[in-house]
Amino acid sequence: MTDNPFSTTSTRNTIAEFTREEVALANRNSGALLETLGCDITPTGLHYLLNHFDVPVLSAADHVLEFSGAFDAPFSLNMAEIMDLPQITRPVTLECAGNGRAGMTPRPLSMPWMYEAVGTSEWTGTPLAPLIERAKPKANVKDFAFTGADYGYDKGVPHFYGRSLTPQEIAQLDVMLVWGMNGAPLLPQHGAPLRLIVPGWYGMASVKWLNRIDALTSRYQGFQQVETYRFRAHADDPGTPVNRLHVKSLMKPPGVPDWFTRARWLKPGLVTLTGRAWSGDGVPVEKVEVLLNGVWQEAELSPPSDRYAWSAWQIEWDATPGQHTLACRATDAEGHIQPLDAGYNLGGFANNVVHRVTVHVAKPTA
């Protein structure tokens, strides 16, 4: 190929940018491939994964969900009983709270996500709220704790992964108990046989391998609720909770890639740039702008398939020879807009900085 901008990238330095532990986490977990942003529904095998501990391999035939604690009518359900409940299927965009962590300075040490920890699946299950009502929470209940079967240590503290939602949040959010993903049973790594889906919130709230729902008369103090997933400026900062998704957009990288740098190469001429955009709590994306030749231009935005699913966008670009930095930024209906520069918090959460893509456009052939 003539006019090759990548000929010098074959010489790669050997300086380790990431720690050995971060690389091990990146090998256990996986992000979506940005080239699949053209799909309304992320193929199941390409939906991002973030699992804190070992994946429990559970038997659906033996699995039981218990409603316990401060309920007047506690009960339990097996999977056959759960699957006989009123069924819904809806597309929901999930994003890891740590997506974009690798782009922060300084970089918090954890799973070193760049842009890829997001995906949209069609989740099949049943609404949670009627089951909470059936169990009859006592009047003084302040929290509902959701506990999974995955167990391990974080910062020296042993615990089952758990999160909580208040009665007000249960009433406001369209929370689902889910057993299916994209028309098939959940896979073990995605929480089989039963998980929670909290649409419009970061993925940490959607507890996998769910086996207990406890009504509590005081706020839940589980490790993953109070020690992590909080916006903190420093170690002594009590912080504020991570919850709803921040407005964000991504671009499907155009052209063809350089293997190592992932920079792009394409021919000059008219190019259709495409991508996805989303926001939290079911708030719609109002517009997407794309930086072309140093000017922000508004893209064509398609309506989402569901209030909790991402929207597709596209724009035409007349690609001229040379190196270009393309970028996209979304604005939602509440006026939230993606920042041009990454912020910082101790856990590396919710980095929704604009997505930039380096593109090399070839010189026209004689």
Side-chain angles (χ1 to χ4, degrees), residues 84-228:
D84 278 341
L85 295 169
Q87 181 175 307
I88 57 172
T89 296
R90 72 185 312 172
V92 175
T93 297
L94 285 187
E95 182 182 12
C96 183
N99 198 18
R101 179 181 287 120
M104 289 184 170
T105 303
R107 188 182 75 253
L109 292 182
S110 186
M111 175 65 198
W113 290 121
M114 293 183 177
Y115 298 104
E116 301 87 354
V118 64
T120 299
S121 288
E122 291 185 325
W123 304 98
T124 297
T126 194
L128 173 67
L131 294 175
I132 296 288
E133 184 179 354
R134 171 179 162 184
K136 297 182 179 178
K138 295 181 184 296
N140 59 345
V141 165
K142 291 183 170 60
D143 228 350
F144 296 101
F146 304 90
T147 306
D150 48 330
Y151 181 85
Y153 288 78
D154 194 345
K155 298 181 181 177
V157 179
H159 58 280
F160 288 96
Y161 187 91
R163 291 282 304 180
S164 73
L165 296 169
T166 66
Q168 293 76 20
E169 289 165 346
I170 294 291
Q172 293 167 0
L173 303 171
D174 296 314
V175 185
M176 302 168 62
L177 294 179
V178 163
W179 60 81
M181 181 180 182
N182 296 340
L186 284 174
L187 295 171
Q189 65 269 34
H190 286 294
L194 187 69
R195 70 173 296 172
L196 204 66
I197 291 292
V198 182
W201 279 31
Y202 283 107
M204 81 279 146
S206 296
V207 177
K208 299 178 182 178
W209 312 289
L210 183 68
N211 57 22
R212 289 183 64 87
I213 299 177
D214 291 290
L216 306 175
T217 56
S218 59
R219 294 304 306 273
Y220 177 60
Q221 297 300 302
F223 184 88
Q224 299 291 342
Q225 188 76 24
V226 300
E227 295 297 331
T228 62

Side-chain angles (χ1 to χ4, degrees), residues 48-63:
Y48 87 89
L49 284 174
L50 190 287
N51 294 322
H52 284 251
F53 306 129
D54 289 355
V55 171
V57 181
L58 305 176
S59 166
D62 300 327
H63 195 72

Side-chain angles (χ1 to χ4, degrees), residues 33 48 75 91 111 123 137 156 211 262-263 269 285-286 323 329 332 343:
L33 304 178
Y48 87 89
F75 63 93
M111 175 65 198
W123 304 98
N211 57 22
R262 307 314 294 179
V285 172
E286 194 168 72
Q323 179 175 309
R329 67 179 180 190
D332 71 17

Side-chain angles (χ1 to χ4, degrees), residues 101 104 106-110 155 227 229-237 343-349:
R101 179 181 287 120
M104 289 184 170
R107 188 182 75 253
L109 292 182
S110 186
K155 298 181 181 177
E227 295 297 331
Y229 296 112
R230 298 183 71 83
F231 295 115
R232 291 185 170 102
H234 50 80
D236 297 325
D237 180 5
Y344 175 80
N345 60 81
L346 199 63
F349 298 127

